[in-house]
Amino acid sequence: MTVSNAIPSYEIINAETPLGYEDRIPETQPTKRRKKKSIVWEHFTIETVSPGCRRACCKQCAQTFAYSTGSKVAGTSHLKRHIAKGTCSALLRNNDPNQLTPYTARTRGSGAGNASDTPKRRYRSPSTPYIIFDQDQCRHDIARMIIMHDYPLHMVEHPGFVAFVQNLQPQFKMVTFNSIQGDCVATYLMEKQHIVKYIEGLPGRVCLTLDIWTSSQSLGYVFITGHFVDHDWKLQRRILNVVMEPYPDSDSALTHAVAVCLSDWGLEGRLFSVTCNQALSNVALENLRPLLSVKNPLILNGQLLVGNCIARTLSSVAKELLGSAEDLIKKIRDSVKYVKTSESHEEKFLELKQHLQVPCERSLFIDDEIQWNTSYQMLVAASEMKEVFSCLDTSDPDYKGAPSMQDWKRVEILCSYLKPLFDAANILTTTTHPTAITFFHEVWKLQLDATRAVTSEDPFISRLNKIMHEKIDKYWRECSLVLALAVVMDPRFKMKLVEFSFTKIYGEDAHVHIKTVDDGIHELFHEYVALPLPLTPAYAEDGGAGSHSKMEESPVLTDNGLTDFDAYIKETTSQHMRSELDQYLEESLLPRVPDFDVLGWWKLNKLKYPTLSKMARDILSVPVSTVAPDSVFYSKSKEMDRYRSSLRPETVEALVCAKDWLQYGTPEASNALVQMIF
């Protein structure tokens, strides 16, 4: 029988009948008619509608189909499709889970029957596999679905979802809230096994970012993310922990959270830097630094262990700038509301804009006060159409409280202070992994503007200058060293850009700050030479620290009293390795080409600079921001929603971390579920 390729045909596998045999016996040969063996006749009857014309009638929905006209027989393929494709709604509603259908397999142990009840034939299709229902796989997929899309765990008990699943697959045994909670935690534990092995095999150190979320219950949640460079010299990040802190404002909260992370992932001795999303008190710093330094090399005396988030710093400055002009911004916002909340007002406004021929392509919109970039963009758009607002004031008697020309002038001044902040923060939303090199350029320009600000008698301008200078200068003093070290590791800039930038900012005192960076990079390099890096499998393969550690453990040298010889070897080796840094700094700068891959350059030159490349790997992995791209412009801390705050802390951690890990995939994914009981 010939069937169109667009519609799959179903064949009958029977122990007694050859594959593909069709029992189409013409009506003119009643004596030779054999018993119909096709399974479709369990669902259809043949009815004679007129002489020589018979139709097949579905027992469930009573729909009729062509069967025979005269000596021509239509066959059974279209009848099989009616059953197999689910077009018979009555059959689906009344379907018995134990009834064999073309899309459901019944195992030998299913139902109440014995082995003799198992049918000897089944459907198969060239394009459709023989699908076997798997309860565990379905539960695994539901858990992944909930994790990946942030669905509430209680959805498995929602009547609508239960009805949907039962209609889709009646054999599925619905799960409870506790069951799916266990499945989600089990998925998290499976993925964590892969991440643990991944982290253990990293060739370099790990940098951490701490992002503190609040909640309506006054609980704090510390999101700890690890940043590192992988074997292929690509920047990577993974959320490692979400630690619930009952007293997030205490000086020991972050210390406890970091201690949990270091212990959980075995990062003692492998930590390079920590970046926080908020300024820490002196007491909090005193608590955190010793913890990080106990089992970690004292990298520059701990100067790289704690930094500030650039996104939070920029948001803090912008928030204060906007707050200093709160009354002015409210007046602009009310004017925009007047236009945007009425179609007639907006239509009249656009007519005036066209009549005045204002060349502004921006559109007015009401800002979201939580995201400061929207307030800045609202002010810019309104300022560019100030002439239209002024004309509206004289032509529309209902429009009241129009900004004065002095107000518009102050709006322009305020926008000139916000623009460099907006441009810098916007990089964080458009760059997958913004580096310290990029933000050295941005921050030193902000610092230069702040130091060059002319003292003004206008109290409005004076207030803006004070905010910019205090906030940006504080960030520059705390983080300029790590930013400068990253620039030195860029073969396009090295120390030259540091010297140029510092001269612009500090003038005659620049040499003091330049020497601080130069001493810092040499001291750090000396520490990489003198102290072995973490002995990960990947690092051992490079041979960086293996011979050094074996030398220290050698009983022969110790027994023979060759301690002075060991010191000599160590000293001469250090001198030789320090020249590796000097050689790098003395070489010519590379051309500044677009999209230059700094890490890719170090990957190609790691044999030429074996120790320096390891130091560059760690320095270039230092993150400058702790927040996700969609939260860069938030002017207040992120808050955990009420639903997640009601869950167990370990469940919250499992849901957040597993979602982050699943987006990267795992090399050897397993579908086996570990039973978790709650």
Side-chain angles (χ1 to χ4, degrees):
M1 179 179 63
T2 303
V3 182
S4 172
N5 292 332
I7 303 176
S9 62
Y10 290 84
E11 300 172 344
I12 304 173
I13 301 176
N14 190 273
E16 301 175 358
T17 307
L19 184 65
Y21 183 82
E22 293 287 347
D23 46 350
R24 285 182 265 167
I25 308 299
E27 186 181 3
T28 55
Q29 299 178 352
T31 57
K32 297 182 181 180
R33 183 176 301 163
R34 299 171 58 184
K35 182 179 179 180
K36 298 185 184 329
K37 296 183 178 181
S38 176
I39 195 173
V40 299
W41 301 118
E42 297 179 10
H43 303 278
F44 289 86
T45 59
I46 299 177
E47 297 179 0
T48 302
V49 296
S50 63
C53 178
R54 296 190 300 170
R55 296 183 68 82
C57 179
C58 178
K59 296 179 181 180
Q60 302 293 332
C61 65
Q63 185 176 353
T64 62
F65 299 84
Y67 178 64
S68 67
T69 303
S71 60
K72 296 182 179 180
V73 180
T76 59
S77 296
H78 61 306
L79 306 182
K80 295 172 183 176
R81 289 195 296 272
H82 179 68
I83 303 171
K85 297 300 181 181
T87 56
C88 180
S89 57
L91 179 62
L92 289 178
R93 287 195 303 269
N94 301 326
N95 187 35
D96 182 355
N98 293 325
Q99 183 177 1
L100 183 66
T101 64
Y103 53 86
T104 304
R106 183 176 68 181
T107 60
R108 292 183 180 273
S110 62
N114 51 34
S116 62
D117 297 328
T118 304
K120 295 182 180 180
R121 52 187 176 179
R122 62 187 184 273
Y123 286 134
R124 77 174 185 182
S125 165
S127 61
T128 305
Y130 192 72
I131 302 174
I132 298 177
F133 170 71
D134 188 335
Q135 172 80 14
D136 291 338
Q137 180 63 44
C138 290
R139 286 182 56 172
H140 177 71
D141 290 339
I142 290 178
R144 289 173 63 94
M145 176 189 72
I146 289 175
I147 291 171
M148 294 171 64
H149 302 289
D150 294 325
Y151 294 143
L153 295 173
H154 286 88
M155 72 174 294
V156 296
E157 296 178 347
H158 292 171
F161 181 75
V162 172
F164 168 74
V165 173
Q166 288 301 307
N167 287 328
L168 188 66
Q169 176 51 267
Q171 295 186 67
F172 181 73
K173 297 178 181 178
M174 292 305 301
V175 293
T176 64
F177 166 82
N178 286 336
S179 297
I180 200 62
Q181 181 177 226
D183 291 348
C184 289
V185 174
T187 301
Y188 156 77
L189 293 175
M190 284 191 302
E191 296 298 325
K192 187 174 182 178
Q193 294 177 4
H194 298 288
I195 302 298
V196 167
K197 294 179 180 178
Y198 183 46
I199 298 294
E200 286 178 350
L202 290 177
R205 290 184 169 96
V206 177
C207 301
L208 299 181
T209 57
L210 312 179
D211 191 16
I212 306 173
W213 288 34
T214 60
S215 70
S216 59
Q217 300 173 330
S218 73
L219 300 175
Y221 293 85
V222 183
F223 285 61
I224 304 179
T225 304
H227 302 255
F228 47 85
V229 175
D230 64 14
H231 292 273
D232 197 34
W233 290 79
K234 300 294 183 183
L235 271 174
Q236 301 288 348
R237 56 170 294 281
R238 297 292 188 276
I239 297 179
L240 301 180
N241 294 94
V242 178
V243 183
M244 191 272 286
E245 291 294 340
Y247 306 101
D249 296 328
S250 68
D251 294 324
S252 60
L254 291 183
T255 304
H256 171 260
V258 173
V260 169
C261 179
L262 296 181
S263 174
D264 195 18
W265 295 91
L267 293 179
E268 293 90 347
R270 303 186 58 194
L271 190 59
F272 188 74
S273 74
V274 175
T275 304
C276 305
N277 73 332
Q278 63 184 29
L280 301 179
S281 66
N282 292 332
V283 177
L285 286 174
E286 292 302 320
N287 290 339
L288 187 58
R289 287 187 189 277
L291 170 68
L292 301 175
S293 302
V294 167
K295 294 185 178 181
N296 285 277
L298 290 176
I299 301 174
L300 294 183
N301 296 319
Q303 295 181 66
L304 305 182
L305 287 178
V306 179
N308 287 327
C309 171
I310 183 64
R312 295 300 187 201
T313 300
L314 296 175
S315 294
S316 176
V317 178
K319 183 180 179 181
E320 285 205 31
L321 291 174
L322 292 169
S324 67
E326 187 174 357
D327 294 337
L328 173 63
I329 295 173
K330 183 181 184 304
K331 187 180 291 188
I332 303 299
R333 184 181 294 118
D334 290 342
S335 295
V336 174
K337 283 182 181 179
Y338 180 82
V339 174
K340 296 299 294 182
T341 56
S342 171
E343 292 185 6
S344 60
H345 294 167
E346 185 171 16
E347 183 178 349
K348 187 173 184 178
F349 185 87
L350 294 176
E351 290 176 357
L352 288 173
K353 177 186 174 184
Q354 185 176 5
H355 177 72
L356 295 172
Q357 297 182 349
V358 177
C360 178
E361 298 182 357
R362 300 178 188 270
S363 299
L364 290 178
F365 67 93
I366 304 172
D367 66 329
D368 178 356
E369 297 183 50
I370 296 179
Q371 301 191 60
W372 66 267
N373 62 312
T374 62
S375 299
Y376 163 71
Q377 292 170 321
M378 178 190 71
L379 294 175
V380 172
S383 178
E384 292 181 358
M385 289 182 273
K386 58 180 178 293
E387 296 178 3
V388 185
F389 280 104
S390 299
C391 188
L392 184 66
D393 183 33
T394 59
S395 60
D396 188 346
D398 295 332
Y399 175 50
K400 303 182 184 303
S404 63
M405 294 307 297
Q406 179 68 17
D407 291 334
W408 288 118
K409 183 178 180 180
R410 290 190 171 184
V411 168
E412 292 176 356
I413 294 173
L414 178 60
C415 289
S416 68
Y417 281 80
L418 290 171
K419 185 181 186 307
L421 302 177
F422 173 79
D423 292 340
N426 203 44
I427 296 175
L428 296 172
T429 66
T430 57
T431 307
T432 305
H433 295 287
T435 63
I437 297 173
T438 303
F439 275 89
F440 178 85
H441 299 268
E442 300 300 324
V443 176
W444 87 261
K445 287 187 295 184
L446 291 172
Q447 175 68 5
L448 183 62
D449 292 340
T451 55
R452 285 183 173 180
V454 179
T455 304
S456 174
E457 296 181 357
D458 186 336
F460 180 75
I461 297 178
S462 178
R463 188 163 59 248
L464 298 181
N465 285 339
K466 181 180 179 182
I467 294 172
M468 284 289 290
H469 180 74
E470 289 180 353
K471 293 281 186 178
I472 298 300
D473 185 66
K474 182 177 184 297
Y475 180 84
W476 178 257
R477 283 187 284 104
E478 294 178 351
C479 302
S480 60
L481 177 59
V482 67
L483 297 177
L485 293 179
V487 169
V488 175
M489 291 294 98
D490 189 329
R492 298 171 298 171
F493 305 115
K494 302 182 182 179
M495 282 295 297
K496 296 299 183 182
L497 181 60
V498 175
E499 295 167 359
F500 171 79
S501 304
F502 282 17
T503 301
K504 289 285 187 180
I505 294 174
Y506 300 112
E508 295 180 355
D509 297 330
H511 67 280
V512 177
H513 302 277
I514 293 173
K515 186 176 186 303
T516 299
V517 176
D518 187 68
D519 291 345
I521 197 72
H522 280 84
E523 181 181 347
L524 182 60
F525 181 74
H526 172 72
E527 291 180 0
Y528 268 76
V529 174
L531 299 176
L533 286 176
L535 192 58
T536 63
Y539 186 73
E541 290 177 3
D542 292 341
S547 59
H548 180 83
S549 59
K550 290 178 181 178
M551 183 190 302
E552 292 179 344
E553 297 172 0
S554 175
V556 177
L557 295 180
T558 303
D559 293 342
N560 292 339
L562 297 179
T563 305
D564 293 339
F565 177 72
D566 292 342
Y568 169 76
I569 293 296
K570 187 175 182 179
E571 180 182 354
T572 55
T573 302
S574 298
Q575 292 175 354
H576 171 71
M577 298 302 287
R578 278 201 299 271
S579 66
E580 182 181 312
L581 172 61
D582 295 331
Q583 177 186 351
Y584 164 76
L585 294 176
E586 291 169 2
E587 290 182 350
S588 301
L589 302 181
L590 295 184
R592 295 194 305 275
V593 296
D595 301 324
F596 178 73
D597 184 1
V598 179
L599 288 172
W601 186 89
W602 281 106
K603 177 182 179 181
L604 294 175
N605 289 271
K606 65 181 180 180
L607 297 180
K608 182 178 181 181
Y609 304 110
T611 301
L612 192 60
S613 63
K614 292 180 174 64
M615 188 176 80
R617 182 201 297 270
D618 294 337
I619 291 177
L620 295 176
S621 66
V622 175
V624 293
S625 176
T626 66
V627 300
D630 60 350
S631 304
V632 167
F633 293 103
Y634 272 60
S635 55
K636 57 189 246 181
S637 299
K638 295 294 290 292
E639 182 174 332
M640 187 75 71
D641 60 76
R642 290 180 178 273
Y643 176 76
R644 287 204 169 180
S645 298
S646 67
L647 300 176
R648 299 167 180 260
E650 57 267 26
T651 302
V652 174
E653 181 177 57
L655 294 174
V656 173
C657 293
K659 179 182 179 180
D660 180 71
W661 301 340
L662 287 174
Q663 67 177 314
Y664 300 102
T666 51
E668 297 178 359
S670 171
N671 291 332
L673 276 177
V674 180
Q675 185 178 8
M676 299 295 297
I677 301 176
F678 285 87

